[in-house]
Amino acid sequence: MISTLQRTIRPVWASRGLHNSAVEALKYQAPGDTVTASYGKFISEIKPQHLSSVVLHRSKRMVLDSIGVGMIGSTTDVFELALQHCQHMYAPDDISSIYGRTGTRLSPTLAAFVNGVATHSMDFDDTWHPATHPSGAVLPAVLALSDMMPASNKPSGLDFLLAFNVGIEIQGRLMRFSNEAHNIPKRFHPPSVVGTMGSAAACARLLSLDHSKCSHALAIAASLSGAPMANAATQSKPLHIGNASRLGLEAALLASRGLEASPLVLDAVAGVAGFNAFYEDYVPQPLESPNKNGHMFLLEEQDIGFKRFPAHLGMHWVADAAASVHKLLVGFGPGTVSPAQVKDILLRVPKSKYINRPFPDSEHEARHSFQFNACSALLDGEVTVQSFTPAAMMRPDLFALLSRVRVEHPQDNPANFNLMYGEVQVTLVGGDILKGRCDTFYGHWRNPLTNESLKKKFRNNAGAVLPSEKVEKLIDVVEELDRLGDCRDLLSELQ
């Protein structure tokens, strides 16, 4: 019957002039031979035993950090707006819990959305290379889906971590097929694309979908992806993570019901854009299915970057460089830094328009401003959560320093989180020149936070909305997650 149909419609295709190679690829490539099919097979066949001790350790740190930044993110205005929208515009469906809101529940997809918004509302969530925010798009979806599952069939802690790691792995693999993806983005926000795909993959794994439905989940997610960089440094940027989490979950649920999409969405087909609609230099490679020798997750090869303060990742280089100059400045004065000491401030940073903001007007712009973060660190010796409060942002001394800032973009300082550096040079009124440089900040994947530093960050963040005993219980539950018979202990602590 298929052969008859193909013979019938071949003249129609030919009459429309569709490129013959595209037609042949779409019609005759065996589904099992495609890149897309290899991804579906990997998602469906990967098992908990393929998670090494290193991957388990690193992914549990990611889960803990992501919950923490989601908790403090639930105190923000943008989270409150998103939550109110979901509560007022949709019928009640009390299934999945919400960060920082005891007793509040929404439908799984809406819970994934608002928790994703919370996670990115302060730009405090983890970062990887090539550049994306991997956890925020995946964890809220996996938590919401776990809440949705019957009490008698909750995933084990190990199955939960497997689904989470599948979501991280798919994001990393897709981004490594593009040179463009290695650089600080210009056109679209990467988690709005690969995050949606990662969320779909994680949920497909947790739903135990077969390889065909896993492939369809990815293809459906591709049709739900994308957000422009113009919305960076605005209240809408957190929606990118919320939508990635929500829409990835929806893609997996639609695939579970039998909805189909392109079987070649990850393949390179001449004349028919799939994933290369986002990355034009995308060169796909199949993803090998795990075998008896296991699978080497990308997380084992490269750790995750955890932020010490809530701002764009690029800010951490200039903040650390400026903090080192602060120590020198204090030695020139009465123990504090005064703008009266400073004649000129020169920042040597990569060229990236959306994080070059001389006088930010909002906390969101401030989180994306080389100038603001450098001057805050010069004044205070560090950048913290409080640096972005209205009182801190409106200080006359901060404005005075901002007015003295110049920016240079050296040729040897690329817009790449794996290669960039931050340099701060301060010329004093008396003529002295003080310099600070950061090549790898504390928290970068090359210099990761210690467990103690990560727990301190979590306690500060989660403690903004939870009592201390609940904070400590969450630390213990996440640490034991791979040894729990089911994930109800984690879910109950988040309620």
Side-chain angles (χ1 to χ4, degrees):
M1 180 178 177
I2 294 176
S3 298
T4 303
L5 177 60
Q6 288 174 342
R7 284 196 300 270
T8 302
I9 61 179
R10 185 177 298 128
V12 177
W13 280 340
S15 67
R16 293 180 180 175
L18 188 60
H19 195 284
N20 187 59
S21 63
V23 173
E24 296 304 310
L26 288 169
K27 286 165 50 187
Y28 297 118
Q29 193 167 6
D33 297 335
T34 66
V35 173
T36 308
S38 74
Y39 272 67
K41 190 175 181 184
F42 170 83
I43 295 167
S44 67
E45 293 185 358
I46 194 77
K47 298 290 189 295
Q49 57 263 33
H50 295 126
L51 298 172
S52 70
S53 59
V54 171
V55 170
L56 285 171
H57 171 69
R58 289 178 174 177
S59 59
K60 286 190 294 185
R61 281 162 52 92
M62 294 168 71
V63 169
L64 186 70
D65 182 71
S66 189
I67 291 173
V69 298
M71 289 295 176
I72 194 170
S74 72
T75 66
T76 62
D77 291 342
V78 64
F79 170 83
E80 188 63 35
L81 287 170
L83 178 59
Q84 289 181 12
H85 169 74
C86 291
Q87 289 176 318
H88 295 165
M89 295 299 295
Y90 298 93
D93 194 355
D94 300 335
I95 294 176
S96 300
S97 58
I98 305 301
Y99 287 155
R101 292 293 191 276
T102 302
T104 301
R105 289 175 176 267
L106 295 172
S107 70
T109 55
L110 294 181
F113 171 68
V114 297
N115 287 340
V117 169
T119 303
H120 197 59
S121 64
M122 298 173 71
D123 221 313
F124 213 174
D125 44 333
D126 59 21
T127 309
W128 215 12
H129 179 75
T132 193
H133 302 283
S135 296
V138 173
L139 183 61
V142 175
L143 286 169
L145 182 56
S146 298
D147 271 330
M148 175 182 166
M149 293 178 168
S152 60
N153 194 33
K154 296 291 186 191
S156 70
L158 202 53
D159 285 332
F160 182 97
L161 285 170
L162 177 65
F164 176 79
N165 275 286
V166 165
I168 304 304
E169 179 77 354
I170 295 304
Q171 294 180 71
R173 294 285 173 179
L174 291 174
M175 297 197 76
R176 278 161 177 76
F177 296 152
S178 164
N179 288 325
E180 177 190 350
H182 286 70
N183 299 324
I184 297 176
K186 296 178 182 179
R187 297 188 298 115
F188 61 88
H189 197 201
S192 71
V193 176
V194 296
T196 312
M197 310 284 274
S199 171
C203 294
R205 174 61 264 173
L206 201 61
L207 290 166
S208 300
L209 301 187
D210 64 35
H211 66 87
S212 176
K213 288 183 176 179
C214 288
S215 296
H216 286 304
L218 292 176
I220 296 166
S223 281
L224 304 174
S225 296
M229 286 306 300
N231 273 329
T234 73
Q235 283 190 319
S236 288
K237 189 185 180 206
L239 303 184
H240 301 176
I241 305 295
N243 279 330
S245 187
R246 169 190 183 173
L247 297 174
L249 172 55
E250 288 194 355
L253 292 173
L254 287 167
S256 74
R257 292 184 178 275
L259 186 71
E260 297 183 349
S262 169
L264 298 172
V265 73
L266 299 182
D267 292 78
V269 179
V272 182
F275 192 74
N276 61 345
F278 303 107
Y279 294 105
E280 294 178 354
D281 64 346
Y282 172 70
V283 180
Q285 297 291 327
L287 181 53
E288 290 187 11
S289 293
N291 53 43
K292 61 182 179 181
N293 297 320
H295 172 78
M296 175 68 78
F297 280 83
L298 293 174
L299 186 58
E300 184 145 8
E301 301 173 10
Q302 179 184 290
D303 208 340
I304 290 290
F306 295 109
K307 298 178 180 180
R308 304 193 319 275
F309 59 89
H312 182 278
L313 192 71
M315 306 304 106
H316 290 66
W317 278 270
V318 293
D320 278 15
S324 66
V325 176
H326 169 88
K327 294 178 182 178
L328 300 174
L329 273 170
V330 168
F332 277 81
T336 59
V337 174
S338 168
Q341 300 171 270
V342 177
K343 179 182 178 182
D344 178 76
I345 302 168
L346 175 62
L347 308 183
R348 294 188 175 99
V349 293
K351 187 175 183 179
S352 182
K353 184 166 182 153
Y354 81 99
I355 46 180
N356 183 357
R357 298 176 184 271
F359 296 96
D361 291 326
S362 69
E363 64 165 292
H364 299 283
E365 289 189 3
R367 298 183 199 279
H368 295 75
S369 167
F370 280 130
Q371 295 88 335
F372 178 89
N373 287 272
C375 290
S376 293
L378 283 173
L379 268 183
D380 306 322
E382 61 179 347
V383 181
T384 68
V385 171
Q386 285 70 39
S387 300
F388 303 94
T389 61
M393 291 182 60
M394 296 300 293
R395 289 179 291 174
D397 282 358
L398 182 62
F399 277 102
L401 289 182
L402 285 170
S403 68
R404 292 166 170 78
V405 175
R406 296 182 294 119
V407 176
E408 289 182 356
H409 306 298
Q411 290 296 316
D412 66 343
N413 197 358
N416 182 306
F417 292 138
N418 217 33
L419 302 172
M420 67 173 282
Y421 62 84
E423 193 170 281
V424 177
Q425 176 180 299
V426 175
T427 303
L428 302 185
V429 171
D432 292 297
I433 296 177
L434 310 178
K435 290 183 179 181
R437 174 169 168 142
C438 176
D439 293 295
T440 303
F441 66 86
Y442 180 45
H444 190 276
W445 42 87
R446 291 193 301 268
N447 186 22
L449 297 183
T450 65
N451 285 340
E452 202 49 50
S453 292
L454 194 73
K455 288 178 183 178
K456 181 180 179 180
K457 176 186 174 183
F458 178 79
R459 290 185 176 105
N460 289 337
N461 287 343
V465 295
L466 297 177
S468 58
E469 60 271 17
K470 205 168 185 71
V471 172
E472 296 304 316
K473 179 65 173 176
L474 269 169
I475 292 174
D476 293 340
V477 168
V478 173
E479 179 59 35
E480 295 294 317
L481 191 53
D482 54 316
R483 294 179 282 275
L484 296 180
D486 65 49
C487 63
R488 277 182 292 182
D489 284 353
L490 175 61
L491 300 176
S492 65
E493 292 303 320
L494 294 176
Q495 294 169 12

